[in-house]
Amino acid sequence: MSELESFRMEVREFLEANAPRSLRGTSPSGPFDGYWGGKKHPPVDPDVLKWRDVCYERGFTAPTWPKEYGGAGLSRKHAAVLYEEMRALGLPRPVVGFGFAMIGPTLLEFGNEEQKHEHLPKIARGEIRWCQGYSEPNAGSDLANVQMKAERDGDEFIVNGQKTWTSHADKSDWIFCLVRTSQEDRKQRGITFLLVDMESEGVSVRNIDLISGSSPFCETFFENVRVPVRNVVGQIGDGWTVGKALLQHERSNIGSSIGRQPGSGQRELVEKARHHLYWDGKRLEDAVMREKIAALGMEEEAFQLTLDRVAQKAQAGGNPGAESSILKVVATELKQARYELGQEIAGAAGLGWTGPGFSESDLEFTREWLRSRANTIEGGSSEIQRNIIAKRVLGLPDAK
Amino acid sequence: MSELESFRMEVREFLEANAPRSLRGTSPSGPFDGYWGGKKHPPVDPDVLKWRDVCYERGFTAPTWPKEYGGAGLSRKHAAVLYEEMRALGLPRPVVGFGFAMIGPTLLEFGNEEQKHEHLPKIARGEIRWCQGYSEPNAGSDLANVQMKAERDGDEFIVNGQKTWTSHADKSDWIFCLVRTSQEDRKQRGITFLLVDMESEGVSVRNIDLISGSSPFCETFFENVRVPVRNVVGQIGDGWTVGKALLQHERSNIGSSIGRQPGSGQRELVEKARHHLYWDGKRLEDAVMREKIAALGMEEEAFQLTLDRVAQKAQAGGNPGAESSILKVVATELKQARYELGQEIAGAAGLGWTGPGFSESDLEFTREWLRSRANTIEGGSSEIQRNIIAKRVLGLPDAK
Amino acid sequence: MAERPHLNLIANAEQKMLAETARKLVEEKAPVERLRELRKPEHPKGFSRSLYSEMAELGWTALLIPEAYDGLGLGLFDLVGVLESLGRELAPEPLLTSALLGAYPILEGESEALRQRFLPGIASGDAIVTLAYEEEGLRDYYERPSASITAYNAGYVLNGTKIQVADALVADAFVVTCRSAATDSLAMVLVEANSDGVSIERQYRVDSRVVGIVRFENVDVAEDEVLSLEAVPLFNKTLNRAAVGLSAEMLGAAEKAFEDTIAYLKERVQFDVPIGSFQALQHRAATLYCELELLRSSVYAAAAAADQAEEAFPRLAALAKARANETFLHVAKEAIQMHGGIGMTDECDIGFYLKRAQAAAWSLGNTSYHRRRWAELNGY
Amino acid sequence: MAERPHLNLIANAEQKMLAETARKLVEEKAPVERLRELRKPEHPKGFSRSLYSEMAELGWTALLIPEAYDGLGLGLFDLVGVLESLGRELAPEPLLTSALLGAYPILEGESEALRQRFLPGIASGDAIVTLAYEEEGLRDYYERPSASITAYNAGYVLNGTKIQVADALVADAFVVTCRSAATDSLAMVLVEANSDGVSIERQYRVDSRVVGIVRFENVDVAEDEVLSLEAVPLFNKTLNRAAVGLSAEMLGAAEKAFEDTIAYLKERVQFDVPIGSFQALQHRAATLYCELELLRSSVYAAAAAADQAEEAFPRLAALAKARANETFLHVAKEAIQMHGGIGMTDECDIGFYLKRAQAAAWSLGNTSYHRRRWAELNGY
């Protein structure tokens, strides 16, 4: 038995002995997506906390992180085995969120020892919940257009300005921000990556409602907020380097999240068609709709196969390659097309905002249809993605 | 009876008395599109020449041109009546071609007396056939990128270079060209509009085959061709002004040519479907195809109604308006879509290049399908048209 | 396949003035942001009754009603200009409802008594009559409803449930599509809202319009409240007219969403330039502009054909609605994309246009429905 | 709806080398401009027999044939890499014809005699066998041909006419789809080209491929020349395999047309900049790139599923061909538009790609056909 296989056995035993029964079968497609943690977290199922604790003890909440920072020091391959076994039992990740997925890896790469020791263990235990402060109202796709000012005053910065699209800011304890510490000729310069405790005086948060209803997004305002200079990650004025690296963590998550459940889009549409359309024995009567669903189902499968191919290439040790640049734009436009077609299938039944007279599942689908319009805007708009493909992959020249 | 109505009576009498029986019912949708004239014209039906002669005598070959240049000096409204009556009898225009439609109006606007007297009557009689020398191999959509050189030598220019896409150059007697007479900072400057007798030494012509087969297009080469300076139209170096005005004549013809036969596209497709697809009584069996034809037929009708609306606005004395800017791009893309759908209907029967095993009408349709790909390139590509709409109609800013 | 008739596609001076007046009034008193208030549960009507009265005073509700019933006896082209103006701000005042959905079947139906009873009130704006034709699971088989009437005494009894009935909560009466048990054909009858056995429940729709579930339980229908017992032609005529009216609203809405987007493209700066200078966006904007112009021609042509009583009218009505569905949705989606993140927020008005586009596309015949009708009318 | 199996989507080292060899040979000896010569009436074969022999020597014709019949016994994934390379230059050498259209039904059919008679020759490149399945007016009801066999003596007699038969003029034998009069079912039989009653006429197709009308007039078919008398499964299996092979050619062709276009965008200067710097074109090019990547995954997956004998194979074959149809046509149309005027001339190679795209899209099932199959296989 290889070392990896014996690790797998070990994990199985651990999970069998320690994973609470009540959590098994709840993830990843179940109702529970994992423990987001933080000081403001509402009262939580004690089994979730128990699950977090037993994992933390073994370093399994952040398995690839070094032991000294609360991880288990596992290789990627070992961590993959761990996750496979958790998935096999339908277990949620013990700790999830921006801390674990984004600022954690960034601190490991760019943080100093003090910062790592201070923040990483708390993230691994889910004690502190983090949110992201990148976007500003006047920036949009132009992320480097950072206007929020941080002026030096001795050992502190005085921060003034506004961030937007800060997901879950209302539930978070700390925020990592790009701030402007000096004006330079290129706007990518003079940006600093700063960690801010949201309990500091002068920080306030307002929820953003979307066209689809309430949302996790917030606007976060900073008015004369004092932040210690030691909260800078990397060099002062070199925050763009840190910020860009962090964005890689974000992007790589988006495309693959769509392909997670193979064939699910088509299945959902056919299910919808079963409810709302006429059937002729085993066949959908409306030939036009049948072809539309098939066209969509095919595109979805082609995309999932592309995800597989990218993954196999990466596994084979090769560069993930140019193919991966298409994932975000294809995934999001496909998702929109799926919701549009679903709405076409639902017809008048898809026009509800709340009850009565509309089914729960139709209402939810309608909200998601509206929400899906943001997919091609957030996380690098489709326009930005196509610019990137044109320039980086196809090597087309910059507009003069 | 209004003056216009009495003119109509007069025209009717004239046509009844003079229009050869053999030509009635041959146009505009018939096989004959009119007399193109010129010295190289192949032997022609004597009735066509007779028709030309009786019309020329009354100035009816170019009815709006002044009498002194071979026209009838009619107002636009009167000319419209004349054409209506010709159309009612299915008569072709007595003289057609680039002379009548393009260089004639341009000379009327920009030519000097000598030029008007020399060229217009010959155009009106169809004695001289003209072609257009605008495009060059390296210009494409960038029409102002004129490289063909004309160097002054006393009373003459010595012309060297190449024009392309010169329709019917092989059958034409004269060519009107944009030539470069000086290098300036803006390339629109230093262009001169020049008339060249194609019998001059050093002019040669080569036919261009298209992907759809043979074509009227030619490449026209100029090697040390001597052209008298008096053949300049407008000012030396100011040919862009003349050339642009001439292009207006071209563009305004393209859009409307598509709408000339209302409903014809859909009719043709349904006819094709009758041949190639299965019918269920009066209804096309294939619901998907039925919807595709309907969608196309609807777009066609919407376009034709837009043509009508533009025409009615113009008639009402108003500005033709922003709507007219869309005609070219919509007409050509619609035409392409129609041919694509026709090919979809024809299926394997639409794959022939020549016989045997393919019907004449399918073969012709296939060639036209291929030819239609050029419609969105020639006469101002769809890209150029959209630039124009974005900038001139929508007022969007230039790219920096 | 019929030839195209000559249609007058340009508004005359009176029509222009009417539309201009409407546009100013709507811009001033009915800006789209009003919907954030009107959509709340505490506004059961979903529109402003006083503004509607003002519209009625300007004659809009009377436009299509013959002079014999105190109307102005004008045409659909006149109304289309007004509806286009309402559409620009997505104004929910029930002009389309009353002037077309309710009044038209009464006007063209078989009951003179109903004409006298309702048309003057509709013309004055005092009465609101709506059409109840949607049912759960019916989709676009409008001529085969489950609701039905059976003979009873000298009249009939109506049973059935209609959904998403426009302006159900304020309607004085409903024109109801139902199956006549005797003839096994589509019938249309009128029922007053306060009749015994009628109950109404508000529905909350994505486009903030107030619609309702209307239940009819053993409701008496008198002989002279029957509009038609062989109602397929009457229903189709009603659908056609109303579809053109709705298309006009959609045209106005699409055009406003487009204008707002173009304005945003000029004003929003990214990467140090206005985003409207990016050619990819310019070309997409140009494409939308083309579609809008084609839609405009289609709507005006359908209205003109109605007024000129042209045989082509049903075809052109199908054309107008199919293109309105496609164009408005396309414009609305692009409008949000071009607005970027801000376009996704409820604070920004542009999202209302997408919601309305979806709802309007599924009212009075979706695209597929009208394409099928078009194909049928063109003989294939 | 079935779950997706694990499919190996990456070529192994041998497969890469095979494809690379093919690509080099084709680039060197079969550049697309060759078609201007080959399409002429004086080239009745429409391809180079000596080049085909060279391909056979490299083992390409033997790839799929079992070792028992002198083949290499490899898989579809191996062949797909070679076909992709041929596709890049639209090379008309009949590899797809022989290796799939002809060999596959013989291999999977019921006649061991035919296997022994033909497979070794196909493997060595000496014999060319093709499939005759298209008929006038048949469209894609492939399983309902007019050609038919009736029992006669110990065997059958075949009558009928097939059109656009690939490589008809050089084929040694035809696999023919026909109706069995006795069973009223689809049958597949083999007929040698030099049999009495077979006549062949060249057809000129838009894509410069040599195809032919093949007429069968009272042609004798021996008992052991019958591949199947209940041939729907055999035909579908053949169509699926061949469709994947054709999709691989189309992938290669689309990818080459795309590369040529990108190169042109970089080199062609207008308005003093390379036209590839225009964002509207950049975004369209990026969209094509995405479509190509999805097509590539689909083709490789279908080939892998065939080799892994996965149940999902028929679904994935439909996916590959449907997407190949759409993508290749889209790429080819955009390629011409982006080349501008020069792209319209016969002197420019890019036009060949559009012509081939159209012809390929209508061979072995159009998009609509494969979507319907997909829907069926997914239970709706």
Side-chain angles (χ1 to χ4, degrees), chain C residues 1-2 312-316 318 372-380:
Chain C
M1 278 167 263
F313 172 64
R315 271 198 311 129
L316 293 173
R372 289 196 309 271
R373 280 173 65 87
W374 167 276
E376 219 170 279
L377 292 163
N378 281 287
Y380 57 90

Side-chain angles (χ1 to χ4, degrees), chain A residues 259 262-263 266-267 270 274 279 282-284 290-291 293-295 297-299 301-306 308-309 312-313 322-323 325-326 329-330 382-384 386-387 389-391 393-400, chain D residues 1-4 6-10 258 262 265-266 272-274 276-277 279 281-287 289-290 293-294 296-298 300-301 315-316 318-319 322-323 367-368 370-372 374-375 378-380:
Chain A
Q266 177 176 246
R267 256 202 302 277
V270 173
R274 254 179 232 297
W279 287 70
K282 278 182 56 184
R283 223 178 50 158
L284 192 51
R290 199 161 71 239
E291 276 214 31
I293 297 174
M298 283 179 155
E299 187 168 353
E301 177 109 25
F303 173 69
Q304 284 158 349
L305 290 165
T306 303
D308 291 351
R309 191 159 60 87
Q312 289 179 19
K313 262 191 143 177
E323 299 91 336
S325 67
I326 74 167
V329 63
V330 175
S382 284
E383 287 79 9
I384 295 286
R386 289 200 165 84
N387 284 346
I389 296 171
K391 283 168 196 172
V393 182
L394 305 178
L396 292 172
D398 267 333
K400 273 204 191 135
Chain D
M1 276 167 267
E3 281 304 310
R4 280 181 320 142
H6 177 83
L7 299 168
N8 188 0
L9 302 172
I10 311 284
F258 180 70
I262 295 299
L265 290 180
K266 290 178 188 172
D272 307 319
V273 294
S277 65
Q279 196 196 31
L281 298 186
Q282 290 185 344
H283 280 202
R284 281 155 56 189
T287 298
Y289 177 76
C290 294
E293 287 304 321
L294 263 57
R296 182 183 312 280
S297 310
S298 306
Y300 293 178
R315 270 198 313 129
L316 293 172
L319 171 66
R323 289 204 72 86
T367 307
S368 198
H370 286 292
R371 283 187 186 152
R372 289 196 308 270
W374 167 276
N378 280 288
Y380 58 90

Side-chain angles (χ1 to χ4, degrees), chain B residues 315-381:
Chain B
Q315 248 171 4
N319 196 304
E323 298 92 336
S324 63
S325 67
I326 73 167
L327 300 181
K328 202 269 175 182
V329 63
V330 175
T332 53
E333 295 184 356
L334 188 54
K335 190 171 164 191
Q336 287 182 342
R338 171 151 52 87
Y339 278 110
E340 280 171 36
L341 185 53
Q343 285 293 77
E344 209 175 310
I345 292 168
L351 302 180
W353 183 250
T354 61
F358 299 101
S359 77
E360 272 311 309
S361 72
D362 284 335
L363 286 170
E364 194 189 323
F365 194 93
T366 299
R367 302 289 187 110
E368 282 170 15
W369 159 66
L370 286 164
R371 179 63 181 78
S372 77
R373 300 315 306 176
N375 298 149
T376 49
I377 298 169
E378 64 203 354
S381 70

Side-chain angles (χ1 to χ4, degrees), chain C residues 243-370:
Chain C
V244 174
L246 180 54
S247 301
E249 274 196 40
M250 294 164 82
L251 166 64
E255 135 201 315
K256 181 60 165 33
F258 181 70
E259 288 167 18
D260 286 355
T261 302
I262 295 298
Y264 188 77
L265 290 180
K266 292 178 188 173
E267 132 207 337
R268 169 76 166 173
V269 170
Q270 276 192 14
F271 304 105
D272 307 320
V273 294
I275 58 175
S277 66
F278 290 116
Q279 196 195 31
L281 297 186
Q282 290 185 344
H283 280 201
R284 282 155 56 189
T287 298
L288 296 179
Y289 177 76
C290 294
E291 288 176 25
L292 276 168
E293 287 304 320
L294 264 57
L295 172 58
R296 183 185 309 283
S297 309
S298 305
V299 173
Y300 292 179
D307 292 345
Q308 297 173 211
E310 295 288 353
E311 222 185 307
F313 172 64
R315 271 198 311 129
L316 293 173
L319 171 66
K321 184 59 171 44
R323 289 203 72 85
N325 292 346
E326 296 286 282
T327 302
F328 187 15
L329 263 171
H330 188 198
V331 168
K333 285 189 290 184
E334 283 285 59
I336 287 183
Q337 183 69 24
M338 293 185 186
H339 273 78
I342 190 76
M344 279 300 296
T345 63
D346 188 56
E347 267 173 61
C348 178
D349 293 338
I350 203 76
F352 285 114
Y353 289 86
L354 176 64
K355 293 171 173 179
R356 179 63 186 151
Q358 183 75 8
W362 288 91
S363 302
L364 301 168
N366 64 36
T367 308
S368 198
Y369 175 83
H370 286 292

Side-chain angles (χ1 to χ4, degrees), chain B residues 222-371:
Chain B
F222 299 79
E223 206 186 329
N224 294 322
V225 179
R226 294 194 160 261
V227 182
V229 170
R230 66 180 145 81
N231 283 7
V232 170
V233 180
Q235 299 302 309
I236 292 175
D238 192 30
W240 187 243
T241 310
V242 184
K244 262 198 318 188
L246 187 143
L247 277 185
Q248 297 306 321
H249 299 294
E250 187 182 15
R251 298 241 164 109
S252 65
N253 285 331
I254 292 174
S256 59
S257 73
I258 306 254
R260 221 178 262 158
Q261 292 152 290
S264 63
Q266 176 176 250
R267 257 202 302 276
E268 189 175 11
L269 293 176
V270 173
E271 202 43 52
K272 254 188 140 47
R274 253 178 232 296
H275 258 82
H276 294 294
L277 301 178
Y278 296 95
W279 286 70
D280 165 12
K282 277 181 58 185
R283 225 180 49 159
L284 193 51
E285 210 177 80
D286 182 338
V288 178
M289 205 59 104
R290 200 162 70 238
E291 275 214 32
K292 283 186 186 176
I293 298 174
L296 200 284
M298 283 178 156
E299 187 169 353
E300 189 184 50
E301 176 109 25
F303 173 69
Q304 285 159 347
L305 291 165
T306 304
L307 282 181
D308 291 350
R309 192 159 59 86
V310 170
Q312 288 178 18
K313 261 191 144 177
Q315 248 171 4
N319 196 304
E323 298 92 336
S324 63
S325 67
I326 73 167
L327 300 181
K328 202 269 175 182
V329 63
V330 175
T332 53
E333 295 184 356
L334 188 54
K335 190 171 164 191
Q336 287 182 342
R338 171 151 52 87
Y339 278 110
E340 280 171 36
L341 185 53
Q343 285 293 77
E344 209 175 310
I345 292 168
L351 302 180
W353 183 250
T354 61
F358 299 101
S359 77
E360 272 311 309
S361 72
D362 284 335
L363 286 170
E364 194 189 323
F365 194 93
T366 299
R367 302 289 187 110
E368 282 170 15
W369 159 66
L370 286 164
R371 179 63 181 78

Side-chain angles (χ1 to χ4, degrees), chain B residues 102-114:
Chain B
M102 293 169 74
I103 186 67
T106 304
L107 287 176
L108 281 170
E109 190 176 351
F110 295 96
N112 57 34
E113 275 311 306
E114 192 192 335

